[in-house]
Amino acid sequence: WMKDTYIPLDMVFISPNGRINKIVAETTPLSKESIFSEAKTSAVLELNAGICKKLNIKKNDKVVF
């Protein structure tokens, strides 16, 4: 949820194999609605809203860190 977050975010859900399994773009600030991925997730990368679109980040892209 975004209860204590005052800016919209893009949330990138990353599977254990490093692939993006879901992107929730432009979340609603201060929302209490749950945000989750149905697939197994090992990490969530939070970016300023619009960055996924700007950088063409999409589902199944590989994340290296």
Side-chain angles (χ1 to χ4, degrees):
W1 66 4
M2 298 282 294
K3 180 182 168 210
D4 298 318
T5 305
Y6 292 89
I7 61 170
L9 300 174
D10 288 347
M11 297 178 69
V12 180
F13 293 82
I14 305 166
S15 66
N17 70 2
R19 297 274 176 193
I20 296 172
N21 61 41
K22 183 175 183 177
I23 297 173
V24 180
E26 302 189 19
T27 58
T28 304
L30 305 174
S31 172
K32 292 183 182 178
E33 182 179 340
S34 294
I35 301 171
F36 59 92
S37 175
E38 296 78 15
K40 188 170 184 174
T41 301
S42 61
V44 178
L45 176 63
E46 296 178 344
L47 304 167
N48 287 346
I51 294 295
C52 287
K53 183 176 181 179
K54 180 178 181 179
L55 299 179
N56 196 30
I57 297 169
K58 55 196 173 307
K59 186 175 178 177
N60 293 319
D61 282 352
K62 179 78 172 175
V63 177
V64 179
F65 57 95

